[in-house]
Amino acid sequence: MARRKRGQPIHGWVCLDKPLELGSTEAVTRVRRLFDAQKAGHAGTLDPLATGILPIALGEATKTVPFMMEAEKVYRFSIQWGVSTDSVDREGREIGRSDVRPTLGAVRAALPAFVGEIDQVPPAFSAIRVDGQRAYDLAREGVEVELQARRVTIHEAAVTNAPDADHVEITIRTGKGVYVRSLARDLARALGAEGHVSALRRERVGPFGLHNAVTLDSLTEMVHRGAASEGLLPVATALDDIPELAVTTEDAFQLRQGRPIVLLPRQVETLKTRLSSGSRTVSAFDGETLVALCSMRAGRLEPDRVFNLS
């Protein structure tokens, strides 16, 4: 006899404005408990010393998490000049000190070298696995690990504030895999200075941003007054870049059974104009209900992920 799942079948996304000093895993656990949800996950780890957007998927929304890994992100962070640390943030051990304070003009002049496709070496204190162990665990044990550079993309970078000579605030828009701490480290080196990230806030992950975010306190208040749905975004929120196709109830039944459906020629032509280069992924809807994520092949939609939503 199958074991009954604990919790409720809650489906959707919570765009959490994560507070300082809370880890991503703990944040997911708190949200899952607030909703008493059976299943939960997150799209993109945010360090405890960072605040901001942490998209948390509940129930069937966890099936859309992979699409968020490719999403653009926006970060706003501050560099404190004068001291470098081994973790490139304020929690790390001091490894360098300097009286150099780069001017605002020098920072602006150096930033373009870090925009576009660049090779970036992840920080030693990162979650990358090295021979089965996390790099940050090895770093804490004093083990020196040489991490390989990875090709990443930074679309935009600009100075957005300079409150004093010791600090500069920068905002960047990035693709996947960019480490803000690595950018701060490399920028400081390019300027002949020492520096570390003193504050970091993620302002956007794809369609999730400060405009649709909730705090833990506000989410708790919603749940306690029986209005938890106010803090829940639709499962399809993560699929805003994927073309939608309205299907009949009969076709929806076929897709849910894992069977392909045949498209009309006009549907094929319409979808081709809306698909991004090289993509075949289409989201099928029965009315307002997400039915499946499908691949379009030879005039048919073949279901890849089926959603159990009422």
Side-chain angles (χ1 to χ4, degrees), residues 80-97:
Q80 180 175 328
W81 303 118
V83 174
S84 291
T85 67
D86 55 0
S87 61
V88 206
D89 61 29
R90 65 178 184 270
E91 270 199 338
R93 176 179 57 87
E94 182 179 323
I95 58 173
R97 185 174 283 271

Side-chain angles (χ1 to χ4, degrees), residues 11 24 54 63 68-69 79 83 102 109 156-157 171 180 200 218 229 248 267 276 288 298:
H11 311 296
S24 295
L54 179 67
K63 295 178 180 178
M68 294 311 303
M69 297 307 176
I79 299 175
V83 174
E156 293 179 300
T171 298
V180 171
L200 171 60
S218 62
S229 60
T248 65
Q267 291 176 312
S276 56
E288 298 293 320

Side-chain angles (χ1 to χ4, degrees), residues 176-195:
K176 69 174 183 178
V178 171
Y179 282 93
V180 171
R181 286 176 294 141
S182 290
L183 174 59
R185 176 199 64 204
D186 297 342
L187 181 61
R189 287 175 180 171
L191 293 166
E194 303 291 343

Side-chain angles (χ1 to χ4, degrees), residues 2-310:
R3 182 180 297 176
R4 183 179 178 275
K5 291 183 179 179
R6 292 184 178 179
Q8 303 301 314
I10 306 295
H11 311 296
W13 283 92
V14 173
C15 179
L16 183 69
D17 188 345
K18 189 190 79 65
L20 195 66
E21 298 182 350
L22 182 69
S24 295
T25 301
E26 177 60 22
V28 172
T29 299
R30 290 197 190 183
V31 170
R32 183 181 61 78
R33 286 176 178 168
L34 277 173
F35 281 89
D36 188 28
Q38 292 176 349
K39 192 175 183 181
H42 67 77
T45 300
L46 205 54
D47 291 341
L49 288 181
T51 67
I53 303 304
L54 179 67
I56 296 177
L58 300 177
E60 292 292 277
T62 57
K63 295 178 180 178
T64 66
V65 166
F67 293 90
M68 294 311 303
M69 297 307 176
E70 304 293 326
E72 281 191 356
K73 301 174 178 66
V74 174
Y75 295 95
R76 179 165 49 88
F77 64 99
S78 294
I79 299 175
Q80 180 175 328
W81 303 118
V83 174
S84 291
T85 67
D86 55 0
S87 61
V88 206
D89 61 29
R90 65 178 184 270
E91 270 199 338
R93 176 179 57 87
E94 182 179 323
I95 58 173
R97 185 174 283 271
S98 170
D99 292 330
V100 175
R101 300 295 187 272
T103 65
L104 194 55
V107 176
R108 284 176 170 151
L111 274 179
F114 299 95
V115 175
E117 288 192 4
I118 62 172
D119 291 320
Q120 187 184 70
V121 177
F125 285 78
S126 62
I128 292 174
R129 289 191 179 275
V130 180
D131 296 329
Q133 290 184 272
R134 298 289 188 185
Y136 54 65
D137 289 330
L138 294 172
R140 289 185 184 117
E141 293 170 5
V143 178
E144 291 190 13
V145 177
E146 186 174 340
L147 298 175
Q148 298 300 310
R150 305 192 302 180
R151 199 74 171 166
V152 299
T153 301
I154 297 178
H155 301 291
E156 293 179 300
V159 174
T160 46
N161 194 18
D164 53 51
D166 290 328
H167 299 84
V168 65
E169 180 187 271
I170 297 170
T171 298
I172 59 174
R173 180 170 62 89
T174 79
K176 69 174 183 178
V178 171
Y179 282 93
V180 171
R181 286 176 294 141
S182 290
L183 174 59
R185 176 199 64 204
D186 297 342
L187 181 61
R189 287 175 180 171
L191 293 166
E194 303 291 343
H196 65 275
V197 175
S198 58
L200 171 60
R201 183 162 176 77
R202 187 159 67 190
E203 298 187 332
R204 182 167 68 84
V205 179
F208 301 100
L210 298 176
H211 66 285
N212 56 7
V214 293
T215 64
L216 273 176
D217 287 343
S218 62
L219 194 61
T220 301
E221 188 270 333
M222 291 174 196
V223 171
H224 286 171
R225 62 181 170 87
S229 60
E230 292 180 12
L232 201 61
L233 299 171
V235 171
T237 303
L239 309 176
D240 69 330
D241 290 334
I242 296 175
E244 299 178 9
L245 179 69
V247 299
T248 65
T249 299
E250 182 180 346
D251 282 345
F253 176 80
Q254 296 296 325
L255 290 172
R256 289 191 179 102
Q257 298 301 308
R259 302 170 190 150
I261 62 172
V262 177
L263 299 173
L264 297 172
R266 61 178 174 79
Q267 291 176 312
V268 173
E269 292 307 311
T270 299
L271 289 173
K272 280 182 177 178
T273 63
R274 296 169 59 196
L275 285 167
S276 56
S277 179
S279 175
R280 295 175 178 269
T281 304
V282 175
S283 54
F285 281 79
D286 180 6
E288 298 293 320
T289 304
L290 177 63
V291 175
L293 281 169
C294 310
S295 295
M296 187 174 77
R297 293 189 178 91
R300 304 195 309 173
L301 277 192
E302 300 177 359
D304 297 318
R305 289 184 177 88
V306 174
F307 296 87
N308 300 309
L309 301 170
S310 56

